[in-house]
Amino acid sequence: MALAPPGSQLAPLPSNLPFRLVSKTIGQGAYASIRKACPLDAPKPIIAIKFINKEHAFRQGRLTSKQLQMEITLHQHLGRHQNIIQCLGSGEDTLWHWIAMELADGGDLFDKIEADEGVGEDIAHFYFTQMINAVGYMHSRGIAHRDLKPENILLSGEGDLKLADFGLAALFKKDGKLRLCNTVCGSPPYIAPEIVSGRRSQRQDILDVGYEANICDVWSCGVVLFVLLVGNTPWDEPTMRSEEYKEYVETAGHTTDELWQTLPPEIISLLRGMLKLDPAARFGLDEVRTHPWFTRKNPYLTSAGRLANPVGMATQMLSSLRIDFSRDPTQSSQRGPSQDENAMDIDSAPRRSRANPENINPLSSTQPETPTADMPFDWERPACLPSHDGVSLSQPAAAHHRTHTQSQRVSGTPFLSQLPPGTQDALSQDPSMTQFTPTPSVPLSLTQVARKFKDVVPSYSLARFISPMDISLLVPLLAEALHKLGVPIPAYSDDQIEDWDTAGEASIRVKMADGRRQGLNGHIVIERVYYDGPMSDVRFVKASGDPLEWRRFFKNVVLCVADVVLRPG
């Protein structure tokens, strides 16, 4: 078996898999990708397979096979819990480790939450309760997660929370004996202060004095609760370089920050307990569970800890997503990043220490690229979107003529009402269209037939839009938007533009720092689709980084190209 470039999607996957792959890539990280699979002799159940490229993991994340095996061992040790992604099996060959897991077919929780807005108190309480249940179960098994953040919180098709990604998990209790952890790990906005401020005299990623990993998980849960409620983190990092954190420390939690002012006293009481600087004084999970706000009644929560009204919750969450076209785009609606050059590392390699100044790379970079042999166009297309089956995308002359005709037919800002009736009917049922209406609402046709959460809010990302413009016109507009937002891209030739339009698909790679100087990586994928004629489907596919930061990025790009975004009306 020939070796392919590390991290390349062309690297041949294991040939002796005990299941059948049934999708292209549905998720991707620094050195891993995820696909759907099913049994060899049956169409169900559908599961998720995480493929980890060994060589790339070692070079990019400094992970050895022993460390990768530890992730698998700890994940399997957790067994079954309704709010934790279950590990179903694993294997390896010379190139890959693979992990078979339960499929979270509801997608990312925080992809469905509006940045800088958050969700209502009942929804926040529901998901916080499920997260505490999951973390409490992990701790009862002696395992701490150590990387609790929105990126690792998924949903089932019924809308229940599923905790994922145990690459940084650690055994903090064995045979009843507690052990301290020394590795510096986690994401700066969610990491506990004792990890960041600990003394490191030998190595930047190892503390001289260990920390209680389970108590650090409580801190992270507190930050996640804050994000659920307001759609933003309380600080960039728990150091005195962050003005918000500095005030929180100096006022003993009685900060004047406007985000805190929006929260009711009961929640602030719980947050202050979970976010105590002194680990010894910080709430444990028992204190969290007995807090009055945690024990409040919740109309969404069943006695078994599951979602009682999935369609109702999904409808409320979908109708809360909104892009305000009256606003101007900003480089980041999040608080500005720390100006200290020794701030934590941008999360371009998730397993590396974020507290190592040598890892800092404050520059943003974006590379537009077409699908080539080195970078195949391998992202899974959402099942509900038009298929290319039976349609040739390589008809240059005809495709150019049809696309320009479509573009010319819609003058000014494109609205559904300007399109043929058949196109209007098809696109009015697209859940992602609701975010572009002045007063978002969910079509009755969606909720009337819905039985599950995912029937209203799809598993795929809602960071997408439809445009009547063809690819050759859209790419320069998107490039201009990225430049305006401070994400530079190199010039491309007329031949590249021709290749994009001929292929009917293009991918602009995005690699940048978000508003908190954390890594934000993915692709802007443009594909020609057909609704009574050719149009362009523009999807923002996140590979790694914070989901809310990715949505902020998506919203700002949309505002920059607002005149070509198809809207209801």
Side-chain angles (χ1 to χ4, degrees):
M1 185 179 294
L3 285 173
S8 169
Q9 295 183 14
L10 293 180
L13 295 175
S15 58
N16 59 340
L17 297 172
F19 41 75
R20 178 166 50 93
L21 297 178
V22 294
S23 81
K24 295 181 179 180
T25 302
I26 62 171
Q28 196 171 45
Y31 40 75
S33 62
I34 300 176
R35 298 192 181 198
K36 296 179 185 177
C38 67
L40 294 173
D41 55 354
K44 292 184 178 181
I46 303 295
I47 60 175
I49 310 298
K50 180 179 180 180
F51 291 100
I52 305 170
N53 185 294
K54 292 181 179 179
E55 185 177 359
H56 199 208
F58 178 74
R59 290 187 179 181
Q60 194 79 5
R62 302 173 185 173
L63 283 182
T64 65
S65 288
K66 182 178 179 181
Q67 289 170 307
L68 291 173
Q69 189 58 52
M70 178 60 69
E71 172 184 353
I72 297 170
T73 299
L74 292 179
H75 196 172
Q76 289 177 326
H77 178 68
L78 286 173
R80 295 180 67 102
H81 186 275
Q82 64 188 34
N83 298 124
I84 294 177
I85 291 291
Q86 184 183 1
C87 181
L88 303 172
S90 63
E92 64 177 305
D93 67 1
T94 55
L95 294 176
W96 301 90
H97 275 289
W98 58 263
I99 308 174
M101 300 177 290
E102 171 189 6
L103 176 67
D105 54 352
D108 291 352
L109 167 60
F110 282 82
D111 177 57
K112 301 156 180 53
I113 294 175
E114 190 59 85
D116 303 307
E117 296 292 336
V119 294
E121 194 172 333
D122 283 338
I123 296 178
H125 177 267
F126 172 80
Y127 283 120
F128 178 70
T129 299
Q130 290 198 327
M131 179 175 64
I132 292 298
N133 289 342
V135 173
Y137 174 78
M138 288 189 66
H139 290 182
S140 73
R141 303 283 289 171
I143 297 174
H145 191 282
R146 296 203 302 175
D147 199 20
L148 295 166
K149 58 184 179 180
E151 196 174 345
N152 295 331
I153 300 175
L154 309 178
L155 295 177
S156 70
E158 288 73 30
D160 289 304
L161 179 144
K162 294 285 184 177
L163 195 58
D165 197 342
F166 302 94
L168 293 179
L171 196 66
F172 73 89
K173 183 169 61 177
K174 186 177 181 181
D175 299 327
K177 295 182 179 180
L178 295 175
R179 58 178 292 267
L180 300 180
C181 295
N182 294 79
T183 305
V184 177
C185 61
S187 182
Y190 301 91
I191 196 172
E194 60 264 30
I195 299 178
V196 181
S197 60
R199 186 167 179 266
R200 300 180 287 270
S201 62
Q202 301 298 320
R203 287 171 46 181
Q204 284 293 321
D205 59 343
I206 299 295
L207 297 180
D208 294 348
V209 179
Y211 56 87
E212 296 179 82
N214 55 322
I215 301 300
C216 292
D217 275 354
V218 174
W219 176 282
S220 301
C221 286
V223 178
V224 171
L225 172 58
F226 188 95
V227 178
L228 279 168
L229 290 161
V230 303
N232 209 329
T233 56
W235 38 69
D236 300 337
E237 57 183 51
T239 73
M240 300 305 275
R241 290 187 291 263
S242 166
E243 290 299 322
E244 293 80 17
Y245 180 78
K246 181 180 179 183
E247 185 189 12
Y248 181 84
V249 172
E250 292 175 345
T251 61
H254 293 77
T255 174
T256 61
D257 189 307
E258 60 183 7
L259 295 183
W260 287 81
Q261 304 307 312
T262 64
L263 300 175
E266 296 84 359
I267 296 177
I268 292 180
S269 167
L270 175 59
L271 286 171
R272 285 177 182 154
M274 300 179 72
L275 299 176
K276 283 188 180 293
L277 275 61
D278 180 2
R282 191 176 303 154
F283 279 4
L285 288 184
D286 287 341
E287 291 169 288
V288 172
R289 293 189 189 101
T290 56
H291 189 277
W293 187 78
F294 187 87
T295 59
R296 70 191 286 273
K297 290 186 177 180
N298 190 320
Y300 291 115
L301 192 64
T302 70
S303 58
R306 297 185 182 273
L307 181 55
N309 183 4
V311 174
M313 177 182 282
T315 302
Q316 183 174 340
M317 292 179 72
L318 183 58
S319 62
S320 297
L321 294 174
R322 177 172 178 259
I323 294 177
D324 184 357
F325 284 99
S326 67
R327 283 188 54 211
D328 292 328
T330 58
Q331 286 206 339
S332 175
S333 56
Q334 167 75 327
R335 300 157 173 156
S338 168
Q339 299 301 309
D340 190 331
E341 287 301 312
N342 290 323
M344 292 185 183
D345 167 53
I346 291 173
D347 189 11
S348 57
R351 299 305 194 274
R352 295 170 64 184
S353 165
R354 258 69 103 210
N356 185 352
E358 295 179 357
N359 289 339
I360 294 173
N361 175 15
L363 300 178
S364 300
S365 62
T366 304
Q367 175 63 48
E369 55 198 11
T370 54
T372 64
D374 293 329
M375 185 64 186
F377 193 80
D378 197 38
W379 289 104
E380 177 76 355
R381 185 172 182 75
C384 68
L385 304 183
S387 172
H388 290 160
D389 293 348
V391 178
S392 172
L393 297 182
S394 55
Q395 303 171 5
H400 277 287
H401 173 73
R402 286 196 301 270
T403 305
H404 285 297
T405 299
Q406 178 82 9
S407 301
Q408 293 165 1
R409 184 172 55 184
V410 179
S411 59
T413 301
F415 290 98
L416 274 179
S417 58
Q418 299 172 280
L419 301 177
T423 304
Q424 292 185 44
D425 291 342
L427 287 174
S428 64
Q429 306 306 311
D430 187 335
S432 64
M433 293 295 289
T434 64
Q435 63 192 315
F436 303 121
T437 59
T439 54
S441 59
V442 179
L444 282 176
S445 54
L446 268 180
T447 58
Q448 286 174 338
V449 298
R451 296 292 178 268
K452 295 183 176 182
F453 182 93
K454 67 177 182 179
D455 295 337
V456 178
V457 181
S459 60
Y460 63 82
S461 173
L462 295 172
R464 59 179 287 266
F465 67 85
I466 300 291
S467 175
M469 307 297 285
D470 66 307
I471 291 173
S472 63
L473 297 176
L474 266 177
V475 169
L477 288 175
L478 290 167
E480 183 181 348
L482 293 171
H483 280 300
K484 184 176 181 179
L485 295 172
V487 183
I489 64 172
Y492 40 78
S493 66
D494 291 341
D495 288 342
Q496 285 176 301
I497 295 177
E498 182 72 23
D499 289 342
W500 285 323
D501 209 46
T502 300
E505 56 189 30
S507 176
I508 300 176
R509 184 172 180 236
V510 177
K511 188 179 183 195
M512 57 185 290
D514 64 25
R516 304 162 311 171
R517 298 188 67 240
Q518 301 306 293
L520 198 59
N521 306 312
H523 293 79
I524 302 176
V525 176
I526 312 165
E527 291 184 82
R528 185 173 297 129
V529 294
Y530 292 86
Y531 294 96
D532 297 326
M535 304 185 81
S536 293
D537 176 37
V538 184
R539 291 184 288 133
F540 289 64
V541 184
K542 180 177 72 70
S544 63
D546 187 277
L548 286 174
E549 288 285 351
W550 187 252
R551 180 159 178 84
R552 286 190 186 94
F553 168 65
F554 159 70
K555 289 170 67 176
N556 279 325
V557 174
V558 166
L559 293 176
C560 288
V561 299
D563 291 342
V564 300
V565 176
L566 185 65
R567 311 182 204 174

